[in-house]
Amino acid sequence: MSEKLTFPTGFLWGGATAANQCEGAYDADGRGLANVDVVPIGKDRLPIITGQKKMFDFEDGYFYPAKEAIDMYHRFKEDIALFGEMGFKTYRLSIAWSRIFPKGDELEPNEAGLKFYEDLFKECHKYGIEPLVTITHFDCPMHLIEEYGGWRSRKMLEFYERLCRTLFTRYKGLVKYWLTFNEINMILHAPFMGAGLCFEEGENVEQVKYQAAHHELVASSIATKLAHEIDPENKVGCMLAAGQNYPNTAHPDDYWAAMKEDRENYFFIDVQSRGYYPNYAKKAWEREGITVEMTEEDLQLLKDYTVDFISFSYYSSRVASGDPAVTEQTEGNIFASLKNPYLESSEWGWQIDPLGLRITLNTIWDRYQKPMFIVENGLGAMDTPDENGYVADDYRIAYLAAHIKAMRDAINEDGVELWGYTTWGCIDLVSAGTGEMKKRYGFIYVDCDNEGKGTLKRSKKKSFDWYKEVIASNGASVE
């Protein structure tokens, strides 16, 4: 009988969250207001996320789920103990920028914020969990948006560099895996969340987006430079919202449409991984009349300080067509896509495609030949707990098992280099796309509804013990 295939020795199994979706305590211990705080649940959420509707502070008549979320700020020891019980090797989390610099442009950081994350990282190490830290997971202090216009301003480079220097210095020896920006390609689709952008009537929106993107790309190189200087053990990654684009048919126009969609997706990672702007992007800017202001020093930074590894989120593949008459769409993580008739969909219309993950892994590996890290993957579902808070989430287990097998095949049969895997929302949290709590991803159920009501009690789902066995067996238990 042949030995069961496993994952590489030292593979980093774990889970992922984001500060704005789980911490709550939005004004505790000196924390300042951030863009992620003022995005309400409901019909107005998406216009604010896309920057078309302005909301610079809390307004009457709205519920803002990030204000309290699941209150991990006060409960992180309980939550990390549960992650430790599952056997996590790594835990991906993010820094709330406005906890460290409440306004964003101060010269000195907020000690209470620094201490919170120091305590959290030490708690992780107590259980042998390596923190994987996203420096900016859509967070931007509101003061920087109101005063400077968010990432459209070059001044943001100074503020971000100060944040990074502070983090790398304070947490040297506690954190060695860093991500500069979460889903950096999301800036084109969710510019308020991605870069703190709001637009004026008549403004060249695409020009503003790409200028802001350039500033973030330069900031990413500055962070990589600093990280390596302060601690040579640091590993810095980029992060994109990934998912292969399939042509709708074998028609060459459809193949070309899919290729263009993929290029738009990989544009940012091309720069962060290769160190220069691709020609296809420059030509697109020429056609669209976009002029991105950049200096020779910027270009040198991009060239000299590329990332060490590539991380990405994967929830679904996508479909593209060159025929404007083909319009039937499905939902998916802000990205709209044509419907794929060969795939099943989740309760939120996200199409489920485990083989698409293997295809995506191979595409990224072939394109860059850099180590990869899957930092988001999971199934959002409406879990129904029993009276003890237990959820028999076999559907989640099936989803994750299929994707883990696809990863295993990509490693063992295709030879891709994959460092680790963190499932999204390892504990139930607020959905970034919808602001809902009922869209649950976790191994741990949190008693909280869409209106923020509930005890916040944590309880293990069926998937908790299943994932514990996956980690203990290094993936061999997945049939």
Side-chain angles (χ1 to χ4, degrees):
M1 190 176 192
S2 62
E3 187 177 337
K4 286 187 176 180
L5 289 175
T6 61
F7 284 74
T9 301
F11 189 80
L12 293 170
W13 296 96
T17 64
N20 63 86
Q21 294 169 256
C22 67
E23 282 183 5
Y26 77 98
D27 59 354
D29 298 324
R31 183 187 183 277
L33 195 66
N35 60 332
V36 288
D37 301 324
V38 298
V39 183
I41 193 172
K43 60 181 178 58
D44 285 322
R45 185 175 180 85
L46 191 57
I48 293 166
I49 286 174
T50 58
Q52 304 305 319
K53 180 180 172 67
K54 296 179 183 179
M55 194 173 281
F56 286 172
D57 206 338
F58 302 122
E59 298 179 10
D60 291 338
Y62 292 97
F63 174 64
Y64 297 91
K67 271 186 167 184
E68 299 304 330
I70 63 167
D71 195 30
M72 188 183 276
Y73 187 77
H74 295 108
R75 297 167 178 258
F76 71 88
K77 289 188 177 182
E78 174 189 357
D79 295 337
I80 291 171
L82 288 165
F83 301 160
E85 185 180 340
M86 267 189 284
F88 278 19
K89 308 301 183 186
T90 189
Y91 168 42
R92 182 197 172 206
L93 66 148
S94 73
I95 299 288
W97 188 342
S98 60
R99 283 203 196 284
I100 310 301
F101 291 96
K103 294 172 68 177
D105 60 358
E106 300 96 336
L107 295 178
E108 297 298 326
N110 172 32
E111 173 58 27
L114 287 171
K115 182 67 165 58
F116 166 70
Y117 290 110
E118 180 179 334
D119 291 345
L120 194 157
F121 298 148
K122 286 179 177 177
E123 198 69 16
C124 286
H125 283 288
K126 191 168 94 177
Y127 296 95
I129 298 171
E130 192 75 55
L132 167 61
V133 178
T134 310
I135 298 167
T136 303
H137 195 124
F138 300 146
D139 292 70
C140 185
M142 280 306 303
H143 173 74
L144 297 185
I145 296 171
E146 293 182 278
E147 186 70 22
Y148 305 96
W151 280 96
R152 69 170 67 210
S153 170
R154 192 173 178 86
K155 287 286 288 181
M156 294 291 283
L157 296 177
E158 173 190 340
F159 308 139
Y160 188 80
E161 180 173 1
R162 189 176 297 134
L163 172 68
C164 290
R165 187 180 297 278
T166 300
L167 298 179
F168 299 151
T169 303
R170 179 63 172 257
Y171 304 129
K172 182 178 180 179
L174 285 173
V175 180
K176 68 178 180 181
Y177 294 105
W178 300 90
L179 305 179
T180 52
F181 291 93
N182 179 68
E183 294 183 334
I184 193 168
N185 51 327
M186 197 66 79
I187 193 173
L188 300 180
H189 306 270
F192 182 73
M193 292 280 271
L197 300 181
C198 298
F199 304 107
E200 304 298 331
E201 191 172 345
E203 190 170 33
N204 185 334
V205 169
E206 295 304 305
Q207 168 87 37
V208 174
K209 287 181 187 177
Y210 280 106
Q211 186 65 62
H214 173 72
H215 292 151
E216 288 195 355
L217 291 167
V218 174
S220 180
S221 286
I222 290 171
T224 305
K225 177 177 185 290
L226 274 176
H228 291 158
E229 288 173 353
I230 292 171
D231 186 354
E233 294 296 310
N234 279 332
K235 300 294 183 186
V236 183
C238 55
M239 199 283 203
L240 80 150
Q244 190 74 19
N245 279 279
Y246 302 146
N248 191 48
T249 71
H251 195 291
D253 285 350
D254 287 355
Y255 191 91
W256 181 243
M259 185 176 176
K260 286 195 294 183
E261 291 285 341
D262 279 336
R263 279 178 161 179
E264 183 180 278
N265 240 9
Y266 289 121
F267 153 70
F268 301 94
I269 311 304
D270 282 353
V271 180
Q272 290 174 293
S273 299
R274 294 172 172 168
Y276 55 87
Y277 282 100
N279 287 340
Y280 67 79
K282 295 178 187 176
K283 288 295 184 183
W285 288 346
E286 284 179 19
R287 288 192 302 273
E288 295 166 22
I290 293 171
T291 304
V292 178
E293 294 181 9
M294 57 184 75
T295 68
E296 287 302 317
E297 183 186 12
D298 291 348
L299 297 176
Q300 196 63 45
L301 278 166
L302 295 176
K303 180 180 178 183
D304 292 343
Y305 300 102
T306 55
V307 293
D308 301 309
F309 66 97
I310 296 163
S311 74
F312 61 92
S313 60
Y314 178 85
Y315 296 97
S316 184
S317 55
R318 303 158 194 160
V319 177
S321 174
D323 182 356
V326 179
T327 58
E328 187 182 4
Q329 292 193 328
T330 184
E331 298 298 322
N333 201 15
I334 307 297
F335 291 87
S337 170
L338 297 178
K339 191 172 180 63
N340 189 331
Y342 301 102
L343 300 177
E344 295 180 1
S345 296
S346 74
E347 291 168 288
W348 272 265
W350 296 24
Q351 297 204 276
I352 300 170
D353 184 8
L355 182 55
L357 176 56
R358 182 178 180 181
I359 293 167
T360 299
L361 281 163
N362 276 276
T363 298
I364 294 173
W365 177 250
D366 289 349
R367 193 176 184 102
Y368 303 114
Q369 291 87 52
K370 286 200 173 190
M372 292 174 288
F373 209 127
I374 299 170
V375 294
E376 289 186 31
N377 173 242
L379 178 69
M382 286 186 279
D383 295 338
T384 304
D386 65 15
E387 64 276 8
N388 299 313
Y390 181 78
V391 177
D393 55 344
D394 295 278
Y395 42 87
R396 181 168 292 110
I397 291 170
Y399 175 98
L400 293 172
H403 286 78
I404 288 170
K405 284 190 280 188
M407 286 162 33
R408 193 168 59 193
D409 289 344
I411 294 168
N412 291 307
E413 296 185 22
D414 308 329
V416 308
E417 186 176 352
L418 184 64
W419 283 358
Y421 173 70
T422 58
T423 66
W424 177 246
C426 47
I427 182 171
D428 290 349
L429 38 62
V430 174
S431 166
T434 66
E436 296 172 296
M437 269 301 299
K438 70 176 183 179
K439 186 180 186 182
R440 299 174 183 273
Y441 289 86
F443 303 115
I444 301 161
Y445 185 85
V446 178
D447 180 28
C448 183
D449 66 16
N450 280 358
E451 297 175 342
K453 297 174 182 174
T455 64
L456 296 180
K457 181 184 175 183
R458 276 66 163 152
S459 54
K460 303 172 191 177
K461 303 178 189 178
K462 185 175 182 179
S463 56
F464 183 101
D465 289 319
W466 173 82
Y467 195 51
K468 180 179 180 179
E469 177 59 26
V470 171
I471 297 172
S473 69
N474 200 22
S477 65
V478 179
E479 297 294 343

